[in-house]
Amino acid sequence: MTPWEAAAIFVAGIGAGGINAVVGSGSLITFPTMVALGMPPVVANVCNSVGLVPGSLTGALGYRAELKGQRQRLIRLGIPTIISAVIGGVLLLYLPAETFDIVVPVLIGVACVLVIAQPRLNRWLSARREHAQPHGGPWLWIGVFACGIYGGYFGAAQGVLLIGLLGSFLDDGLQRINAAKNVLSLLINMSAAALFILIAEIDWLAVLMVALGAAIGGFLGAKIGRKLPAPVLRWFIVCIGVVAIVKLVYG
């Protein structure tokens, strides 16, 4: 890896860490960047999951005020999140690489649609919130479990999925839901990363660049993310996703 390539991954890590703290789709920056630099898709995904852990941590810490009073909720939802993220990581490592090459462009496309649809999704959540259950109920548990599998396998826009699930089933404000989302995303990334460190092929320089950038981005995103122009950010993410799809499909 050349110094310029390392710098590109570092900058992508800053963007991903910031976006994950605010919305959740930062992998649509780091993963395509590594693929564009010639890294095999599965290796790029593994490095992305491991490298984004520090950014998830700083993002969660940045929302610690909104986490007050959510301990029992996060314990209840954290257990299925950890288990399912490991299942997703196992699927990534043991399914044929060709499966990943076929599935990921579809997942990126779905993630881009979710990013575009998020404002409408948030309005829908606000309308439903008065009917939400205090603790989410079994359907939220099942949804979080499924989201953990998705996050362990790939993870782009997992934050958007989690916000949608939590907002649908919990009677709470959107900022507190976003704080809970950051913790669950951290658990997904940590669980998958622990598995990958033990048994997967990892480019540690790429991981280091993503980790350093994501840690900075997560801190900044938690501090100033609410002030970013959301439409510009949203379409920037979508453009990167489209580039990734073209790269993966056509080389």
Side-chain angles (χ1 to χ4, degrees), residues 1 34 39 42-51 93 192-208:
M1 185 181 300
M34 287 186 280
M39 193 175 294
V42 172
V43 176
N45 192 49
V46 167
C47 294
N48 185 61
S49 295
V50 177
L93 296 178
L195 174 69
F196 296 152
I197 288 171
L198 289 175
I199 61 177
E201 177 186 352
I202 297 177
D203 185 326
W204 284 107
L205 179 56
V207 168
L208 177 62

Side-chain angles (χ1 to χ4, degrees), residues 13-22 52-64 182 210-228:
I14 294 176
I19 291 168
N20 280 341
V22 181
L52 286 178
V53 170
S56 298
L57 178 60
T58 54
L61 290 174
Y63 278 84
R64 59 188 177 274
N182 283 344
V210 172
L212 291 174
I216 296 171
F219 177 79
L220 295 176
K223 291 290 184 182
I224 65 174
R226 299 181 186 94
K227 300 178 182 178
L228 293 175

Side-chain angles (χ1 to χ4, degrees), residues 71-191:
R71 180 177 179 182
Q72 291 302 317
R73 171 187 293 172
L74 292 172
I75 291 174
R76 183 192 300 261
L77 297 177
I79 294 172
T81 295
I82 293 171
I83 295 171
S84 59
V86 173
I87 293 173
V90 170
L91 291 175
L92 172 69
L93 296 178
Y94 289 101
L95 288 177
E98 293 78 10
T99 302
F100 186 82
D101 295 339
I102 294 170
V103 170
V104 165
V106 177
L107 293 180
I108 293 176
V110 171
C112 289
V113 171
L114 286 171
V115 171
I116 294 172
Q118 192 188 22
R120 184 167 296 181
L121 178 63
N122 286 344
R123 290 193 294 270
W124 179 77
L125 296 178
S126 297
R128 280 183 53 92
R129 197 162 292 127
E130 59 181 294
H131 306 295
Q133 299 183 43
H135 300 293
W139 288 111
L140 177 59
W141 196 97
I142 293 170
V144 167
F145 187 88
C147 193
I149 294 176
Y150 171 81
Y153 185 79
F154 182 52
Q158 69 181 13
V160 177
L161 291 172
L162 284 169
I163 287 177
L165 286 167
L166 296 172
S168 296
F169 292 100
L170 296 176
D171 183 15
D172 214 337
L174 193 57
Q175 291 300 335
R176 283 172 56 80
I177 286 172
N178 196 42
K181 176 267 295 181
N182 283 344
V183 173
L184 295 179
S185 295
L186 171 63
L187 292 177
I188 291 173
N189 288 339
M190 286 180 63
S191 302

Side-chain angles (χ1 to χ4, degrees), residues 225-251:
R226 299 181 186 94
K227 300 178 182 178
L228 293 175
V232 174
L233 179 62
R234 190 168 289 113
W235 284 106
F236 177 69
I237 294 170
V238 170
C239 289
I240 292 175
V242 171
V243 171
I245 292 172
V246 172
K247 174 68 178 178
L248 289 167
V249 173
Y250 297 103

